[in-house]
Amino acid sequence: MANKIEGLSFEQRHGKQRVRVARVWRNNDGRHSIVEWNVGISLLSDCVNAYTRGDNSDIVATDTMKNTVCVKAKECKEELSVEEFAVRLAKHFTSLYQQVTTAIVKIVEKPWERAYVDGQPHEHGFKLGSEKHTTEVIFEKSGALWLTSGIEGLSLLKTTQSGFEGFIRDKYTALPDTRERILATEITASWKYQYESIFSIPQKSMYFNERYLSVKKALADTFYGPPKEGVYSPSVQSTLFHMAKTVLKGFPDIAAVQLKMPNIHFLPVNLSSKDNTIVKVMESKEATFSSHSPSLFPTPTTRWWSKDTVAIVTGANKGIGFAVVKWMAELGVTVILTARDKERGCKAVEALRAQGLHNVAFSCLDVSDPSSIKSFTLWFKKSYAVLDILVNNAAVSFNDINENSVEHAETVMKTNFYGPKLLTDALLPMFLHSTSSIGRILNVSSRLGSLNKLRNPSTKQVLESETLSEKDIEGVASLFLEDVKSGRWKSQGWPKVWTDYAVSKLALNSYTRVLAKRYEGRGMSVNSFCPGFTQTSMTRFKGDHTADDAASVCVRLALLPPEEIPTGKFFLWVSTSSGNVIPSKL
């Protein structure tokens, strides 16, 4: 509620977000149903005294809101849609509290779907789907209603019948016209209903669930076109318009539609191989690269860097790190090669300079030692001050291929997680001075650190949370080290293979996701990259491909054009004889 106090106009609003509630219905026939909702509540109310006098007598406490959500969910004796539940909550808050003039309730429903076993629906088993059902209800004490439904994360793709041509072309344009491309997107959609009061809402049970499924089908069908021939898309904009028009024409009770459809790009890359094939490369939530890598680098038309572009590569006196420095230096980037052993690091730089690569410098850095990180950061700030690319490559493992000891777990965690995190935090201010439009952090990681390797549900839930924080990640790392010290690590659901190494990379991947989210839209790209089973000293030189091959893919990722580089992604590269790739994500 807006007021003018002492010449200031302000809106009095308070609320509670991220209230997570699940409701199970158990039918007499033995079949169960479940919903899981993430509820947000905002109350517009006449509580000016709380602002001007410190009098909280008109404030509805967040604890009350949270408990109300749980109680109201329990009171739902029969299944209902997320829209119906939101309306009930909004009506409750505006009717019970005299000072509340308007309630705004937003809910995201987690997509639990009934599981099937041997082709039969399971009575009480469920699996997590993909897209989420959303709603927003604005309800005034006067009875006025605004009701919106939506979808989050609806991923659609078609491999042909799409092009993009005839766009503005000037000296900044490198993109060629095409009438043949892959069209993919992740849709966020919302639609506003025409109902203006709760009395005009259809009384049919689960009406809005049916409408949600019908709208989702209409959007997808319009995107794809007929099953056999499909429909040509000259642009995302054109497809978006026709999808929205289909919904408005097909559902009379929908007054407006909003669609967000960011492109998920598949870019053709010319890869040198025996048969000189063209392979599709996707840079998105599921990012993949082929095994044939020597020609992965951007063409001159997409070259955005110069000799003034500065990159730091850790653990770079050998293996993948050394090869990354070599590839970057050959492409004209100024590279700081770091290693904990000064003698080996200097020899590595001398070897590169002997090949004519004089744009490489060395500095000693032990990422497991905070004092070394501090000294390196001070040296870099004094010598360069500006950073464009950071490749956190340094890592250790003390196990042979078939071993799984955790004797050195603390050292592994310090080197593979805490070190890269501390170094990144120390260097972040240097990215602010970069002349590049996007700073780049690439954490060399491992698929062993994937969440699906974690067998402890409670720990997995912490790391899967949308509100994951650095403190949460460090808590998981500390818990693992405590389990190691107590000897319980085998029974606590930690990854089975190279456990200490896997947990360290699990933490690093989680940190990548948190950092990417923090800097999203702020000129920073943060990703993880798994080079696959690579022939390095860590694998006792066993593997599917060389360190040089893996490094070439790593550099390709680090040097993607600004308009194409993603953030918060996990790139998994797997080399096979047929050149197949396996997608993964954080």
Side-chain angles (χ1 to χ4, degrees):
M1 184 174 180
N3 284 78
K4 274 193 173 292
I5 303 294
E6 300 177 4
L8 300 175
S9 179
F10 68 99
E11 185 178 68
Q12 302 159 50
R13 178 189 296 212
H14 61 288
K16 173 66 176 174
Q17 304 301 312
R18 296 187 298 275
V19 180
R20 179 170 164 265
V21 61
R23 178 67 163 93
V24 177
W25 290 277
R26 296 174 172 87
N27 299 334
N28 293 331
D29 61 2
R31 172 167 287 204
H32 294 182
S33 299
I34 185 172
V35 292
E36 181 182 341
W37 293 320
N38 193 313
V39 183
I41 300 164
S42 292
L43 303 180
L44 278 65
S45 61
D46 185 5
C47 55
V48 67
N49 288 338
Y51 295 89
T52 60
R53 300 179 182 177
D55 179 358
N56 297 326
S57 58
D58 290 323
I59 294 290
V60 182
T62 57
D63 177 72
T64 303
M65 297 183 201
K66 177 191 69 176
N67 295 337
T68 300
V69 171
C70 296
V71 170
K72 290 300 174 183
K74 180 67 174 176
E75 290 177 355
C76 298
K77 302 303 181 184
E78 296 180 350
E79 290 184 60
L80 76 168
S81 67
V82 65
E83 289 87 353
E84 292 174 275
F85 185 64
V87 169
R88 291 189 187 187
L89 284 177
K91 184 180 177 182
H92 167 84
F93 285 111
T94 53
S95 60
L96 184 63
Y97 303 104
Q98 183 179 356
Q99 68 275 27
V100 174
T101 59
T102 303
I104 303 171
V105 179
K106 297 181 181 180
I107 306 180
V108 178
E109 181 172 308
K110 206 163 187 177
W112 289 109
E113 301 172 352
R114 190 170 299 279
Y116 280 72
V117 177
D118 296 332
Q120 299 297 316
H122 202 282
E123 294 294 296
H124 54 267
F126 299 85
K127 67 180 182 67
L128 193 61
S130 52
E131 58 270 8
K132 299 176 181 178
H133 184 174
T134 66
T135 192
E136 179 183 61
V137 169
I138 304 175
F139 185 70
E140 295 183 348
K141 192 181 288 291
S142 64
L145 172 74
W146 290 265
L147 173 58
T148 302
S149 295
I151 303 172
E152 289 182 0
L154 177 59
S155 297
L156 303 178
L157 176 151
K158 59 182 183 180
T159 54
T160 188
Q161 287 283 55
S162 176
F164 188 57
E165 54 189 341
F167 47 85
I168 295 173
R169 186 172 296 282
D170 54 31
K171 64 180 181 179
Y172 302 106
T173 308
L175 185 69
D177 286 352
T178 182
R179 288 189 60 82
E180 178 59 35
R181 65 172 183 170
I182 293 174
L183 178 63
T185 185
E186 184 176 287
I187 299 170
T188 301
S190 63
W191 52 93
K192 182 182 179 298
Y193 288 102
Q194 296 190 6
Y195 311 119
E196 296 180 350
S197 73
I198 58 174
F199 303 107
S200 59
I201 293 176
Q203 298 303 304
K204 181 183 177 182
S205 176
M206 301 295 284
Y207 172 83
F208 291 106
N209 271 27
E210 293 178 7
R211 185 59 94 222
Y212 167 79
L213 294 173
S214 297
V215 172
K216 183 169 69 169
K217 183 178 185 301
L219 292 171
D221 289 353
T222 308
F223 178 90
Y224 297 127
K228 293 292 185 182
E229 63 272 21
V231 62
Y232 183 73
S233 169
S235 67
V236 173
Q237 290 82 356
S238 174
T239 298
L240 180 151
F241 174 75
H242 285 95
M243 291 166 68
K245 190 167 69 171
T246 297
V247 172
L248 290 173
K249 283 187 174 182
F251 305 97
D253 57 347
I254 293 179
V257 179
Q258 184 179 73
L259 295 175
K260 296 179 182 178
M261 293 174 51
N263 241 325
I264 298 176
H265 293 289
F266 284 71
L267 306 176
V269 177
N270 191 4
L271 306 179
S272 60
S273 63
K274 292 180 180 179
D275 54 2
N276 194 29
T277 58
I278 295 293
V279 178
K280 294 292 184 181
V281 177
M282 180 173 79
E283 294 136 11
S284 66
K285 280 190 174 179
E286 295 184 344
T288 65
F289 283 92
S290 167
S291 61
H292 305 295
S293 61
S295 301
L296 277 171
F297 296 108
T299 61
T301 57
T302 60
R303 182 186 179 112
W304 57 268
W305 62 90
S306 69
K307 62 180 178 60
D308 297 322
T309 303
V310 179
I312 294 173
V313 183
T314 66
N317 64 285
K318 63 179 181 178
I320 295 175
F322 178 78
V324 167
V325 174
K326 179 175 178 291
W327 279 112
M328 283 191 173
E330 288 179 344
L331 287 166
V333 176
T334 297
V335 192
I336 313 302
L337 182 156
T338 74
R340 58 185 174 182
D341 188 295
K342 183 176 181 180
E343 182 179 354
R344 292 177 180 176
C346 289
K347 285 183 178 179
V349 170
E350 289 172 6
L352 293 171
R353 289 178 176 172
Q355 299 177 45
L357 301 175
H358 297 285
N359 49 333
V360 179
F362 170 72
S363 182
C364 198
L365 171 63
D366 181 356
V367 297
S368 67
D369 181 0
S371 63
S372 177
I373 291 174
K374 183 177 181 180
S375 297
F376 171 79
T377 303
L378 291 173
W379 170 84
F380 181 81
K381 184 176 182 180
K382 182 178 179 181
S383 304
Y384 293 89
V386 177
L387 180 59
D388 302 286
I389 304 168
L390 171 61
V391 180
N392 281 312
N393 170 73
V396 295
S397 174
F398 295 89
N399 286 307
D400 205 340
I401 295 294
N402 297 315
E403 292 178 347
N404 192 28
S405 168
V406 293
E407 180 183 353
H408 303 283
E410 190 168 347
T411 300
V412 171
M413 293 299 295
K414 282 183 179 179
T415 307
N416 299 0
F417 167 58
Y418 288 107
K421 179 183 178 300
L422 188 61
L423 177 65
T424 300
D425 290 345
L427 293 174
L428 278 171
M430 315 297 176
F431 284 100
L432 299 177
H433 305 293
S434 171
T435 56
S436 304
S437 58
I438 296 180
R440 295 135 190 273
I441 299 173
L442 187 60
N443 294 321
V444 180
S445 189
S446 171
R447 59 181 167 178
L448 293 178
S450 301
L451 277 170
N452 61 11
K453 307 294 184 184
L454 196 59
R455 297 168 293 124
N456 186 313
S458 59
T459 306
K460 191 173 183 179
Q461 184 178 16
V462 170
L463 296 179
E464 285 181 330
S465 171
E466 294 181 3
T467 59
L468 181 68
S469 66
E470 291 181 32
K471 185 177 180 181
D472 294 331
I473 302 168
E474 290 175 351
V476 170
S478 297
L479 179 62
F480 169 67
L481 292 176
E482 289 173 9
D483 286 345
V484 169
K485 289 179 181 178
S486 66
R488 299 181 301 147
W489 61 276
K490 287 186 177 181
S491 61
Q492 297 304 305
W494 299 108
K496 291 183 177 180
V497 179
W498 276 20
T499 302
D500 54 1
Y501 180 83
V503 174
S504 71
K505 293 301 186 180
L506 177 67
L508 183 62
N509 290 340
S510 300
Y511 174 65
T512 299
R513 182 157 61 92
V514 169
L515 196 63
K517 187 174 181 180
R518 184 194 307 165
Y519 285 95
E520 188 172 10
R522 295 168 61 186
M524 183 71 74
S525 169
V526 190
N527 298 299
S528 286
F529 166 59
C530 172
F533 192 29
T534 308
Q535 298 162 14
T536 65
S537 59
M538 187 179 291
T539 63
R540 308 301 188 264
F541 298 98
K542 299 174 184 177
D544 300 323
H545 45 258
T546 67
D548 195 61
D549 289 338
S552 66
V553 180
C554 183
V555 173
R556 158 72 173 162
L557 283 171
L559 297 181
L560 281 170
E563 67 275 12
E564 297 170 13
I565 193 165
T567 190
K569 315 303 180 188
F570 180 96
F571 291 85
L572 170 62
W573 183 54
V574 177
S575 171
T576 69
S577 58
S578 60
N580 292 330
V581 292
I582 299 176
S584 185
K585 58 185 176 181
L586 284 175

